Amino acid sequence: PDLLPACDGEAATLSFLQDVVDILLQYVVKSFDRSTKVIDFHYPNELLQEYNWELAEQPQTLEEILLNCRTTLKYAIKTGHPRYFNQLSTGLDMVGLAADWLTSAANTNMFTYEIAPVFVLLEYVTLRKMREMVGWPGGCGDGIFSPGGAISNMYAMLIARFKMFPEVKEKGMAAIPRLVAFTSEHSHFSVKKGAAALGIGTDSVILIRCDERGKMIPSDLERRILEAKQKGFVPFLVSATAGTTVYGAFDPLIAIADICKKYKIWMHVDGAWGGGLLMSRKHKWKLNGVERANSVTWNPHKMMGVPLQCSALLVREEGLMQSCNQMHASYLFQQDKHYDLSYDTGDKALQCGRHVDVFKLWLMWRAKGTTGFEAQIDKCLELAEYLYNKIKNREGYEMVFDGKPQHTNVCFWYIPPSLRSMEDNEERMSRLMKVAPVIKARMMEYGSTMVSYQPLGDKVNFFRMVISNPAATRQDIDFLIDEIERLGQDL
């Protein structure tokens, strides 16, 4: 009750916020201190019992509120820690953090120029620049920042469907033929999720075979398209992946573009994970052909290290998102305003309320320049190659696929000494299956580092190491390998 807008609340407010900032700054410094834990792990029931988290009738004191802030950060996972390798989004960028604080203080909504003038213009400028980097002439086209890659992919489906059958907007799915979409068996689950949400159905998403490196096989794509057409289905979208979640594979975009052109199908590129490579002169060849896509998902919150969340959908044809999504709400998008209405972008979004996600990316881009992002990305890819070279011939390691990684995903099994002389049979497989989960659990108990694992297809649990944190060094890679060996020796 003593804080602003209370009268004479200024002093109390400033000292409270100063205390909060001190707590945050300590956390930031700790995040980069390798002698601190990545995670102070407790089981859910322990955490629930150890503190009182319940909401009460009566207010708490500001001292207690500050304590709540401290406690929350005490058990938070330090995703900016140089030894946190668990997800595709890692790191803690100082300029991005500052931008996020500013965004929260401004606390506005992205739907109109009227209430978000600078942010709306920055979104316009930034999306145009991203489209330019995709390779569309003059950065032409359209786009939007959405709440994550899954939603960006869903937008692509929505727009592709509308482009082919505009009547679906009013009449619904009953008015149009049975649609089918195609994506690789290694693609992100969000493609199926989008099909379920849009009423297309998961059975209408046809999974295309991949080669041993996880890339979509174009001849299989063409075969399945013809098959679907023979059954009377209408192919409306191919979602190619640039940087798959597990292997970090890049689908052959040029071959896929040729097929999409031949059969007049919308080509979407899910570059949520791999899109950042467009910033690097050395690595952007992996997305050759992306300029031929009709739409592209690109998540700066992954490889580029922008704070969560920051995901863009880019669309080559201008005006399509607007006609697909607009509802002309007259209390928000009045047509008789005194400025250029083309900057009222809210009606092309699915959301009404939309968070300002662009400012973090824009401010970081100003602070680093394209070359700064390039250096950061090149460094992460170099570290992945360092890890690959370190373990490819090391005793106790087996690579999941041959050859150096295309992205920062390095997939491998750790083989404990007890399994090294065993012949490759069912029993060895079922024992190997249990190794990664036990090592991961021990890692979390110790709090020393975090790395992801999963099975895939006929392959039992393996580690998937990803590097997107510019703070990581070769020493951190060495540490991870030593830690896996230390925790897995006795298995």
Side-chain angles (χ1 to χ4, degrees), residues 286-351:
K286 295 165 188 177
L287 289 101
N288 280 352
V290 69
E291 70 287 346
R292 295 178 58 190
N294 298 93
S295 57
V296 177
T297 294
W298 175 355
N299 287 8
H301 71 222
K302 291 196 169 89
M303 200 59 210
M304 289 162 66
V306 177
L308 287 157
Q309 60 201 19
C310 187
S311 171
L313 175 78
L314 310 169
V315 182
R316 190 167 63 188
E317 183 181 329
E318 202 177 344
L320 199 55
M321 289 191 85
Q322 190 77 9
S323 39
C324 175
N325 294 326
Q326 68 186 2
M327 290 294 154
H328 306 290
S330 56
Y331 59 86
L332 197 54
F333 307 113
Q334 301 90 338
Q335 295 306 295
D336 45 11
K337 291 181 178 179
H338 63 294
Y339 59 80
D340 178 352
L341 292 176
S342 71
Y343 292 104
D344 281 5
T345 51
D347 217 8
K348 68 182 177 192
L350 280 180
Q351 300 165 268

Side-chain angles (χ1 to χ4, degrees), residues 1-10 13:
D2 316 329
L3 301 181
L4 285 173
C7 70
D8 301 330
E10 203 170 311
T13 301

Side-chain angles (χ1 to χ4, degrees), residues 148-160:
I151 304 293
S152 294
N153 288 341
M154 188 168 92
Y155 266 119
M157 276 191 157
L158 186 70
I159 297 162

Side-chain angles (χ1 to χ4, degrees), residues 54 74 84 138-139 191 213 342 346 442 468 476:
E54 295 306 316
K74 175 171 159 56
Y84 172 81
V191 179
R213 293 287 309 252
S342 71
R442 289 176 179 181
S468 58
D476 298 311

Side-chain angles (χ1 to χ4, degrees), residues 29-38 78 81-83 447-448:
V29 170
K30 258 194 187 147
S31 284
F32 294 96
D33 177 357
R34 288 175 173 77
S35 69
T36 65
K37 290 180 163 193
V38 173
K78 294 197 194 86
H81 196 292
R83 290 174 182 167
S448 53

Side-chain angles (χ1 to χ4, degrees), residues 388-456:
Y388 167 72
N389 289 331
K390 185 181 168 87
I391 62 176
K392 65 177 176 188
N393 300 319
R394 188 181 176 102
E395 195 192 0
Y397 290 84
E398 276 176 33
M399 304 311 296
V400 173
F401 55 83
D402 292 331
K404 77 174 197 186
Q406 280 230 294
H407 206 347
T408 67
N409 308 52
V410 184
C411 299
F412 61 91
W413 288 283
Y414 170 69
I415 318 285
S418 69
L419 296 184
R420 285 176 203 172
S421 50
M422 271 183 82
E423 56 186 283
D424 203 1
N425 56 21
E426 281 292 305
E427 195 203 338
R428 183 178 186 267
M429 287 276 262
S430 71
R431 283 176 62 178
L432 186 55
M433 176 100 179
K434 297 177 184 129
V435 172
V438 173
I439 293 178
K440 172 69 177 268
R442 289 176 179 181
M443 270 177 188
M444 289 178 71
E445 297 271 349
Y446 275 102
S448 53
T449 182
M450 283 176 75
V451 61
S452 181
Y453 73 83
Q454 68 283 302
L456 186 68

